[in-house]
PDB file of all heavy atoms in Angstrom:
ATOM      1  N   LEU Y 311      12.610   1.189  -8.100  1.00  0.00           N
ATOM      2  CA  LEU Y 311      12.454   1.363  -6.645  1.00  0.00           C
ATOM      3  C   LEU Y 311      13.759   1.744  -5.924  1.00  0.00           C
ATOM      4  O   LEU Y 311      13.717   2.352  -4.898  1.00  0.00           O
ATOM      5  CB  LEU Y 311      12.008  -0.079  -6.053  1.00  0.00           C
ATOM      6  CG  LEU Y 311      10.670  -0.574  -6.515  1.00  0.00           C
ATOM      7  CD1 LEU Y 311      10.118  -1.704  -5.693  1.00  0.00           C
ATOM      8  CD2 LEU Y 311       9.523   0.554  -6.425  1.00  0.00           C
ATOM      9  N   TYR Y 312      14.917   1.265  -6.451  1.00  0.00           N
ATOM     10  CA  TYR Y 312      16.206   1.817  -6.055  1.00  0.00           C
ATOM     11  C   TYR Y 312      16.270   3.269  -6.162  1.00  0.00           C
ATOM     12  O   TYR Y 312      16.751   4.042  -5.110  1.00  0.00           O
ATOM     13  CB  TYR Y 312      17.342   1.147  -6.806  1.00  0.00           C
ATOM     14  CG  TYR Y 312      17.607  -0.341  -6.624  1.00  0.00           C
ATOM     15  CD1 TYR Y 312      17.985  -1.151  -7.691  1.00  0.00           C
ATOM     16  CD2 TYR Y 312      17.293  -0.887  -5.465  1.00  0.00           C
ATOM     17  CE1 TYR Y 312      18.203  -2.560  -7.532  1.00  0.00           C
ATOM     18  CE2 TYR Y 312      17.500  -2.295  -5.215  1.00  0.00           C
ATOM     19  CZ  TYR Y 312      18.005  -3.170  -6.244  1.00  0.00           C
ATOM     20  OH  TYR Y 312      18.177  -4.467  -6.201  1.00  0.00           O
ATOM     21  N   VAL Y 313      15.853   3.804  -7.199  1.00  0.00           N
ATOM     22  CA  VAL Y 313      16.008   5.260  -7.470  1.00  0.00           C
ATOM     23  C   VAL Y 313      15.026   5.956  -6.453  1.00  0.00           C
ATOM     24  O   VAL Y 313      15.425   6.950  -5.917  1.00  0.00           O
ATOM     25  CB  VAL Y 313      15.651   5.520  -8.973  1.00  0.00           C
ATOM     26  CG1 VAL Y 313      15.489   7.111  -9.201  1.00  0.00           C
ATOM     27  CG2 VAL Y 313      16.540   5.033  -9.869  1.00  0.00           C
ATOM     28  N   LEU Y 314      13.836   5.486  -6.294  1.00  0.00           N
ATOM     29  CA  LEU Y 314      12.861   6.125  -5.519  1.00  0.00           C
ATOM     30  C   LEU Y 314      13.381   6.047  -3.989  1.00  0.00           C
ATOM     31  O   LEU Y 314      13.140   7.032  -3.262  1.00  0.00           O
ATOM     32  CB  LEU Y 314      11.502   5.453  -5.580  1.00  0.00           C
ATOM     33  CG  LEU Y 314      10.793   5.563  -6.958  1.00  0.00           C
ATOM     34  CD1 LEU Y 314       9.534   4.698  -6.935  1.00  0.00           C
ATOM     35  CD2 LEU Y 314      10.333   6.992  -7.144  1.00  0.00           C
ATOM     36  N   SER Y 315      13.945   4.959  -3.695  1.00  0.00           N
ATOM     37  CA  SER Y 315      14.574   4.863  -2.277  1.00  0.00           C
ATOM     38  C   SER Y 315      15.556   5.834  -2.004  1.00  0.00           C
ATOM     39  O   SER Y 315      15.489   6.629  -0.905  1.00  0.00           O
ATOM     40  CB  SER Y 315      15.059   3.500  -2.089  1.00  0.00           C
ATOM     41  OG  SER Y 315      14.079   2.438  -2.114  1.00  0.00           O
ATOM     42  N   TRP Y 316      16.588   6.018  -2.875  1.00  0.00           N
ATOM     43  CA  TRP Y 316      17.652   6.936  -2.608  1.00  0.00           C
ATOM     44  C   TRP Y 316      17.204   8.385  -2.746  1.00  0.00           C
ATOM     45  O   TRP Y 316      17.593   9.274  -1.914  1.00  0.00           O
ATOM     46  CB  TRP Y 316      18.734   6.687  -3.637  1.00  0.00           C
ATOM     47  CG  TRP Y 316      19.682   5.568  -3.253  1.00  0.00           C
ATOM     48  CD1 TRP Y 316      19.672   4.286  -3.683  1.00  0.00           C
ATOM     49  CD2 TRP Y 316      20.641   5.706  -2.127  1.00  0.00           C
ATOM     50  NE1 TRP Y 316      20.632   3.583  -2.984  1.00  0.00           N
ATOM     51  CE2 TRP Y 316      21.271   4.296  -2.148  1.00  0.00           C
ATOM     52  CE3 TRP Y 316      21.016   6.623  -1.236  1.00  0.00           C
ATOM     53  CZ2 TRP Y 316      22.232   3.961  -1.121  1.00  0.00           C
ATOM     54  CZ3 TRP Y 316      22.034   6.315  -0.301  1.00  0.00           C
ATOM     55  CH2 TRP Y 316      22.634   5.005  -0.250  1.00  0.00           C
ATOM     56  N   SER Y 317      16.192   8.781  -3.650  1.00  0.00           N
ATOM     57  CA  SER Y 317      15.656  10.014  -3.793  1.00  0.00           C
ATOM     58  C   SER Y 317      14.975  10.354  -2.292  1.00  0.00           C
ATOM     59  O   SER Y 317      15.039  11.464  -1.941  1.00  0.00           O
ATOM     60  CB  SER Y 317      14.601  10.126  -4.839  1.00  0.00           C
ATOM     61  OG  SER Y 317      15.313   9.794  -6.150  1.00  0.00           O
ATOM     62  N   TYR Y 318      14.299   9.409  -1.794  1.00  0.00           N
ATOM     63  CA  TYR Y 318      13.542   9.668  -0.575  1.00  0.00           C
ATOM     64  C   TYR Y 318      14.538   9.993   0.557  1.00  0.00           C
ATOM     65  O   TYR Y 318      14.337  11.025   1.225  1.00  0.00           O
ATOM     66  CB  TYR Y 318      12.709   8.455  -0.161  1.00  0.00           C
ATOM     67  CG  TYR Y 318      12.143   8.531   1.217  1.00  0.00           C
ATOM     68  CD1 TYR Y 318      11.021   9.296   1.571  1.00  0.00           C
ATOM     69  CD2 TYR Y 318      12.755   7.653   2.225  1.00  0.00           C
ATOM     70  CE1 TYR Y 318      10.612   9.298   2.848  1.00  0.00           C
ATOM     71  CE2 TYR Y 318      12.287   7.752   3.522  1.00  0.00           C
ATOM     72  CZ  TYR Y 318      11.214   8.517   3.852  1.00  0.00           C
ATOM     73  OH  TYR Y 318      10.812   8.651   5.085  1.00  0.00           O
ATOM     74  N   VAL Y 319      15.552   9.139   0.792  1.00  0.00           N
ATOM     75  CA  VAL Y 319      16.428   9.312   1.906  1.00  0.00           C
ATOM     76  C   VAL Y 319      17.302  10.538   1.793  1.00  0.00           C
ATOM     77  O   VAL Y 319      17.750  11.178   2.748  1.00  0.00           O
ATOM     78  CB  VAL Y 319      17.344   8.093   2.176  1.00  0.00           C
ATOM     79  CG1 VAL Y 319      16.328   6.809   2.601  1.00  0.00           C
ATOM     80  CG2 VAL Y 319      18.138   7.753   1.066  1.00  0.00           C
ATOM     81  N   LEU Y 320      17.645  10.916   0.510  1.00  0.00           N
ATOM     82  CA  LEU Y 320      18.464  11.979   0.331  1.00  0.00           C
ATOM     83  C   LEU Y 320      17.766  13.331   0.253  1.00  0.00           C
ATOM     84  O   LEU Y 320      18.275  14.479   0.622  1.00  0.00           O
ATOM     85  CB  LEU Y 320      19.400  11.766  -0.894  1.00  0.00           C
ATOM     86  CG  LEU Y 320      20.251  10.609  -0.820  1.00  0.00           C
ATOM     87  CD1 LEU Y 320      21.036  10.403  -2.165  1.00  0.00           C
ATOM     88  CD2 LEU Y 320      21.308  10.838   0.275  1.00  0.00           C
ATOM     89  N   ASP Y 321      16.559  13.396  -0.364  1.00  0.00           N
ATOM     90  CA  ASP Y 321      15.914  14.610  -0.747  1.00  0.00           C
ATOM     91  C   ASP Y 321      14.721  14.999   0.005  1.00  0.00           C
ATOM     92  O   ASP Y 321      14.309  16.206   0.016  1.00  0.00           O
ATOM     93  CB  ASP Y 321      15.480  14.572  -2.277  1.00  0.00           C
ATOM     94  CG  ASP Y 321      16.675  14.571  -3.210  1.00  0.00           C
ATOM     95  OD1 ASP Y 321      17.798  14.882  -2.759  1.00  0.00           O
ATOM     96  OD2 ASP Y 321      16.546  14.014  -4.306  1.00  0.00           O
ATOM     97  N   SER Y 322      14.032  13.965   0.740  1.00  0.00           N
ATOM     98  CA  SER Y 322      12.828  14.285   1.404  1.00  0.00           C
ATOM     99  C   SER Y 322      13.121  15.175   2.613  1.00  0.00           C
ATOM    100  O   SER Y 322      14.162  14.998   3.206  1.00  0.00           O
ATOM    101  CB  SER Y 322      12.195  13.043   1.894  1.00  0.00           C
ATOM    102  OG  SER Y 322      11.717  12.226   0.801  1.00  0.00           O
ATOM    103  N   GLU Y 323      12.189  16.082   2.956  1.00  0.00           N
ATOM    104  CA  GLU Y 323      12.379  17.061   4.051  1.00  0.00           C
ATOM    105  C   GLU Y 323      12.310  16.315   5.320  1.00  0.00           C
ATOM    106  O   GLU Y 323      13.109  16.577   6.204  1.00  0.00           O
ATOM    107  CB  GLU Y 323      11.273  18.051   3.986  1.00  0.00           C
ATOM    108  CG  GLU Y 323      11.410  19.174   5.028  1.00  0.00           C
ATOM    109  CD  GLU Y 323      10.327  20.200   4.821  1.00  0.00           C
ATOM    110  OE1 GLU Y 323       9.642  20.317   3.764  1.00  0.00           O
ATOM    111  OE2 GLU Y 323      10.089  20.981   5.827  1.00  0.00           O
ATOM    112  N   PHE Y 324      11.437  15.274   5.453  1.00  0.00           N
ATOM    113  CA  PHE Y 324      11.292  14.594   6.764  1.00  0.00           C
ATOM    114  C   PHE Y 324      11.465  13.132   6.574  1.00  0.00           C
ATOM    115  O   PHE Y 324      10.684  12.485   5.893  1.00  0.00           O
ATOM    116  CB  PHE Y 324       9.953  14.829   7.373  1.00  0.00           C
ATOM    117  CG  PHE Y 324       9.744  14.050   8.670  1.00  0.00           C
ATOM    118  CD1 PHE Y 324      10.493  14.286   9.931  1.00  0.00           C
ATOM    119  CD2 PHE Y 324       8.758  13.096   8.725  1.00  0.00           C
ATOM    120  CE1 PHE Y 324      10.254  13.615  10.973  1.00  0.00           C
ATOM    121  CE2 PHE Y 324       8.526  12.391   9.916  1.00  0.00           C
ATOM    122  CZ  PHE Y 324       9.304  12.635  11.046  1.00  0.00           C
ATOM    123  N   VAL Y 325      12.555  12.499   7.113  1.00  0.00           N
ATOM    124  CA  VAL Y 325      12.911  11.136   7.066  1.00  0.00           C
ATOM    125  C   VAL Y 325      13.238  10.715   8.432  1.00  0.00           C
ATOM    126  O   VAL Y 325      14.249  11.026   8.990  1.00  0.00           O
ATOM    127  CB  VAL Y 325      14.039  10.827   6.163  1.00  0.00           C
ATOM    128  CG1 VAL Y 325      14.344   9.312   5.933  1.00  0.00           C
ATOM    129  CG2 VAL Y 325      13.833  11.404   4.624  1.00  0.00           C
ATOM    130  N   PRO Y 326      12.242   9.948   9.094  1.00  0.00           N
ATOM    131  CA  PRO Y 326      12.510   9.514  10.544  1.00  0.00           C
ATOM    132  C   PRO Y 326      13.792   8.963  10.871  1.00  0.00           C
ATOM    133  O   PRO Y 326      14.329   9.162  11.820  1.00  0.00           O
ATOM    134  CB  PRO Y 326      11.269   8.657  10.786  1.00  0.00           C
ATOM    135  CG  PRO Y 326      10.322   9.065   9.763  1.00  0.00           C
ATOM    136  CD  PRO Y 326      10.985   9.486   8.598  1.00  0.00           C
ATOM    137  N   PHE Y 327      14.273   8.035  10.088  1.00  0.00           N
ATOM    138  CA  PHE Y 327      15.516   7.285  10.316  1.00  0.00           C
ATOM    139  C   PHE Y 327      16.572   7.577   9.123  1.00  0.00           C
ATOM    140  O   PHE Y 327      17.064   6.585   8.676  1.00  0.00           O
ATOM    141  CB  PHE Y 327      15.274   5.843  10.436  1.00  0.00           C
ATOM    142  CG  PHE Y 327      14.425   5.469  11.596  1.00  0.00           C
ATOM    143  CD1 PHE Y 327      13.039   5.443  11.554  1.00  0.00           C
ATOM    144  CD2 PHE Y 327      15.035   5.216  12.902  1.00  0.00           C
ATOM    145  CE1 PHE Y 327      12.228   5.159  12.705  1.00  0.00           C
ATOM    146  CE2 PHE Y 327      14.273   4.789  14.018  1.00  0.00           C
ATOM    147  CZ  PHE Y 327      12.871   4.873  13.921  1.00  0.00           C
ATOM    148  N   ARG Y 328      16.662   8.813   8.712  1.00  0.00           N
ATOM    149  CA  ARG Y 328      17.406   9.186   7.568  1.00  0.00           C
ATOM    150  C   ARG Y 328      18.835   8.540   7.431  1.00  0.00           C
ATOM    151  O   ARG Y 328      19.167   7.742   6.565  1.00  0.00           O
ATOM    152  CB  ARG Y 328      17.513  10.622   7.294  1.00  0.00           C
ATOM    153  CG  ARG Y 328      18.287  11.061   6.033  1.00  0.00           C
ATOM    154  CD  ARG Y 328      18.633  12.434   6.047  1.00  0.00           C
ATOM    155  NE  ARG Y 328      17.518  13.385   6.370  1.00  0.00           N
ATOM    156  CZ  ARG Y 328      16.583  13.787   5.305  1.00  0.00           C
ATOM    157  NH1 ARG Y 328      16.734  13.406   4.024  1.00  0.00           N
ATOM    158  NH2 ARG Y 328      15.601  14.592   5.665  1.00  0.00           N
ATOM    159  N   TYR Y 329      19.601   8.797   8.593  1.00  0.00           N
ATOM    160  CA  TYR Y 329      21.048   8.245   8.440  1.00  0.00           C
ATOM    161  C   TYR Y 329      21.228   6.766   8.689  1.00  0.00           C
ATOM    162  O   TYR Y 329      22.036   6.090   8.099  1.00  0.00           O
ATOM    163  CB  TYR Y 329      21.841   9.111   9.619  1.00  0.00           C
ATOM    164  CG  TYR Y 329      21.873  10.564   9.229  1.00  0.00           C
ATOM    165  CD1 TYR Y 329      21.180  11.471  10.061  1.00  0.00           C
ATOM    166  CD2 TYR Y 329      22.603  10.984   8.106  1.00  0.00           C
ATOM    167  CE1 TYR Y 329      21.177  12.831   9.714  1.00  0.00           C
ATOM    168  CE2 TYR Y 329      22.596  12.387   7.833  1.00  0.00           C
ATOM    169  CZ  TYR Y 329      21.909  13.340   8.612  1.00  0.00           C
ATOM    170  OH  TYR Y 329      21.919  14.629   8.338  1.00  0.00           O
ATOM    171  N   VAL Y 330      20.097   6.299   9.464  1.00  0.00           N
ATOM    172  CA  VAL Y 330      20.125   4.795   9.589  1.00  0.00           C
ATOM    173  C   VAL Y 330      19.835   4.118   8.240  1.00  0.00           C
ATOM    174  O   VAL Y 330      20.511   3.141   7.789  1.00  0.00           O
ATOM    175  CB  VAL Y 330      19.055   4.360  10.675  1.00  0.00           C
ATOM    176  CG1 VAL Y 330      18.964   2.818  10.593  1.00  0.00           C
ATOM    177  CG2 VAL Y 330      19.451   4.841  12.048  1.00  0.00           C
ATOM    178  N   GLU Y 331      19.004   4.760   7.547  1.00  0.00           N
ATOM    179  CA  GLU Y 331      18.509   4.126   6.280  1.00  0.00           C
ATOM    180  C   GLU Y 331      19.663   4.335   5.182  1.00  0.00           C
ATOM    181  O   GLU Y 331      19.966   3.512   4.316  1.00  0.00           O
ATOM    182  CB  GLU Y 331      17.288   4.792   5.693  1.00  0.00           C
ATOM    183  CG  GLU Y 331      16.000   4.318   6.481  1.00  0.00           C
ATOM    184  CD  GLU Y 331      14.797   4.185   5.603  1.00  0.00           C
ATOM    185  OE1 GLU Y 331      14.832   3.182   4.771  1.00  0.00           O
ATOM    186  OE2 GLU Y 331      13.797   4.897   5.794  1.00  0.00           O
ATOM    187  N   ILE Y 332      20.402   5.524   5.189  1.00  0.00           N
ATOM    188  CA  ILE Y 332      21.501   5.697   4.347  1.00  0.00           C
ATOM    189  C   ILE Y 332      22.583   4.646   4.597  1.00  0.00           C
ATOM    190  O   ILE Y 332      23.148   4.119   3.691  1.00  0.00           O
ATOM    191  CB  ILE Y 332      21.989   7.089   4.464  1.00  0.00           C
ATOM    192  CG1 ILE Y 332      21.055   8.180   3.857  1.00  0.00           C
ATOM    193  CG2 ILE Y 332      23.376   7.229   3.747  1.00  0.00           C
ATOM    194  CD1 ILE Y 332      21.483   9.612   4.107  1.00  0.00           C
ATOM    195  N   LEU Y 333      22.851   4.407   5.773  1.00  0.00           N
ATOM    196  CA  LEU Y 333      23.793   3.516   6.217  1.00  0.00           C
ATOM    197  C   LEU Y 333      23.452   2.085   5.806  1.00  0.00           C
ATOM    198  O   LEU Y 333      24.273   1.275   5.148  1.00  0.00           O
ATOM    199  CB  LEU Y 333      24.084   3.534   7.759  1.00  0.00           C
ATOM    200  CG  LEU Y 333      24.972   2.425   8.280  1.00  0.00           C
ATOM    201  CD1 LEU Y 333      26.409   2.604   7.685  1.00  0.00           C
ATOM    202  CD2 LEU Y 333      25.055   2.477   9.741  1.00  0.00           C
ATOM    203  N   CYS Y 334      22.129   1.668   5.903  1.00  0.00           N
ATOM    204  CA  CYS Y 334      21.643   0.410   5.640  1.00  0.00           C
ATOM    205  C   CYS Y 334      21.629   0.209   4.116  1.00  0.00           C
ATOM    206  O   CYS Y 334      21.959  -0.938   3.586  1.00  0.00           O
ATOM    207  CB  CYS Y 334      20.405   0.129   6.242  1.00  0.00           C
ATOM    208  SG  CYS Y 334      20.415   0.020   8.024  1.00  0.00           S
ATOM    209  N   LEU Y 335      21.115   1.211   3.382  1.00  0.00           N
ATOM    210  CA  LEU Y 335      21.153   1.042   1.951  1.00  0.00           C
ATOM    211  C   LEU Y 335      22.387   0.918   1.303  1.00  0.00           C
ATOM    212  O   LEU Y 335      22.658   0.121   0.408  1.00  0.00           O
ATOM    213  CB  LEU Y 335      20.443   2.264   1.340  1.00  0.00           C
ATOM    214  CG  LEU Y 335      18.924   2.444   1.604  1.00  0.00           C
ATOM    215  CD1 LEU Y 335      18.439   3.673   0.900  1.00  0.00           C
ATOM    216  CD2 LEU Y 335      18.115   1.219   0.898  1.00  0.00           C
ATOM    217  N   SER Y 336      23.531   1.637   1.913  1.00  0.00           N
ATOM    218  CA  SER Y 336      24.818   1.380   1.536  1.00  0.00           C
ATOM    219  C   SER Y 336      25.394   0.198   1.842  1.00  0.00           C
ATOM    220  O   SER Y 336      26.148  -0.329   1.043  1.00  0.00           O
ATOM    221  CB  SER Y 336      25.724   2.633   2.159  1.00  0.00           C
ATOM    222  OG  SER Y 336      25.255   3.921   1.835  1.00  0.00           O
ATOM    223  N   THR Y 337      24.955  -0.354   2.948  1.00  0.00           N
ATOM    224  CA  THR Y 337      25.391  -1.813   3.367  1.00  0.00           C
ATOM    225  C   THR Y 337      24.854  -2.735   2.275  1.00  0.00           C
ATOM    226  O   THR Y 337      25.643  -3.766   1.989  1.00  0.00           O
ATOM    227  CB  THR Y 337      24.858  -2.109   4.743  1.00  0.00           C
ATOM    228  OG1 THR Y 337      25.378  -1.106   5.635  1.00  0.00           O
ATOM    229  CG2 THR Y 337      25.311  -3.495   5.126  1.00  0.00           C
ATOM    230  N   PHE Y 338      23.575  -2.619   1.865  1.00  0.00           N
ATOM    231  CA  PHE Y 338      23.176  -3.582   0.741  1.00  0.00           C
ATOM    232  C   PHE Y 338      24.104  -3.452  -0.480  1.00  0.00           C
ATOM    233  O   PHE Y 338      24.549  -4.524  -0.923  1.00  0.00           O
ATOM    234  CB  PHE Y 338      21.776  -3.124   0.341  1.00  0.00           C
ATOM    235  CG  PHE Y 338      21.349  -3.805  -0.904  1.00  0.00           C
ATOM    236  CD1 PHE Y 338      20.941  -5.146  -0.906  1.00  0.00           C
ATOM    237  CD2 PHE Y 338      21.396  -3.190  -2.081  1.00  0.00           C
ATOM    238  CE1 PHE Y 338      20.570  -5.792  -2.149  1.00  0.00           C
ATOM    239  CE2 PHE Y 338      21.076  -3.774  -3.337  1.00  0.00           C
ATOM    240  CZ  PHE Y 338      20.591  -5.178  -3.252  1.00  0.00           C
ATOM    241  N   TRP Y 339      24.413  -2.360  -0.986  1.00  0.00           N
ATOM    242  CA  TRP Y 339      25.238  -2.249  -2.165  1.00  0.00           C
ATOM    243  C   TRP Y 339      26.666  -2.770  -1.880  1.00  0.00           C
ATOM    244  O   TRP Y 339      27.362  -3.066  -2.718  1.00  0.00           O
ATOM    245  CB  TRP Y 339      25.264  -0.813  -2.632  1.00  0.00           C
ATOM    246  CG  TRP Y 339      23.865  -0.555  -3.261  1.00  0.00           C
ATOM    247  CD1 TRP Y 339      22.907   0.199  -2.808  1.00  0.00           C
ATOM    248  CD2 TRP Y 339      23.475  -1.008  -4.559  1.00  0.00           C
ATOM    249  NE1 TRP Y 339      21.741   0.207  -3.571  1.00  0.00           N
ATOM    250  CE2 TRP Y 339      22.004  -0.662  -4.691  1.00  0.00           C
ATOM    251  CE3 TRP Y 339      23.898  -1.938  -5.430  1.00  0.00           C
ATOM    252  CZ2 TRP Y 339      21.287  -0.932  -5.789  1.00  0.00           C
ATOM    253  CZ3 TRP Y 339      23.089  -2.334  -6.576  1.00  0.00           C
ATOM    254  CH2 TRP Y 339      21.822  -1.809  -6.699  1.00  0.00           C
ATOM    255  N   THR Y 340      27.079  -2.509  -0.541  1.00  0.00           N
ATOM    256  CA  THR Y 340      28.495  -3.051  -0.218  1.00  0.00           C
ATOM    257  C   THR Y 340      28.539  -4.611  -0.339  1.00  0.00           C
ATOM    258  O   THR Y 340      29.400  -5.175  -0.971  1.00  0.00           O
ATOM    259  CB  THR Y 340      28.856  -2.601   1.246  1.00  0.00           C
ATOM    260  OG1 THR Y 340      28.810  -1.145   1.172  1.00  0.00           O
ATOM    261  CG2 THR Y 340      30.153  -3.093   1.587  1.00  0.00           C
ATOM    262  N   TRP Y 341      27.582  -5.284   0.280  1.00  0.00           N
ATOM    263  CA  TRP Y 341      27.565  -6.756   0.391  1.00  0.00           C
ATOM    264  C   TRP Y 341      27.204  -7.246  -0.970  1.00  0.00           C
ATOM    265  O   TRP Y 341      27.892  -8.333  -1.468  1.00  0.00           O
ATOM    266  CB  TRP Y 341      26.710  -7.407   1.393  1.00  0.00           C
ATOM    267  CG  TRP Y 341      25.246  -7.387   1.238  1.00  0.00           C
ATOM    268  CD1 TRP Y 341      24.306  -6.613   1.850  1.00  0.00           C
ATOM    269  CD2 TRP Y 341      24.483  -8.327   0.389  1.00  0.00           C
ATOM    270  NE1 TRP Y 341      22.950  -6.955   1.467  1.00  0.00           N
ATOM    271  CE2 TRP Y 341      23.112  -7.927   0.503  1.00  0.00           C
ATOM    272  CE3 TRP Y 341      24.740  -9.363  -0.521  1.00  0.00           C
ATOM    273  CZ2 TRP Y 341      22.002  -8.574  -0.198  1.00  0.00           C
ATOM    274  CZ3 TRP Y 341      23.764  -9.927  -1.163  1.00  0.00           C
ATOM    275  CH2 TRP Y 341      22.432  -9.590  -0.979  1.00  0.00           C
TER     276      TRP Y 341
END
Side-chain angles (χ1 to χ4, degrees):
L311 300 188
Y312 291 146
V313 174
L314 292 173
S315 294
W316 279 104
S317 296
Y318 168 78
V319 298
L320 295 178
D321 296 336
S322 294
E323 184 176 343
F324 175 67
V325 180
F327 296 88
R328 185 190 305 273
Y329 297 109
V330 172
E331 289 219 64
I332 290 174
L333 175 62
C334 291
L335 290 175
S336 300
T337 301
F338 166 80
W339 288 107
T340 299
W341 75 254

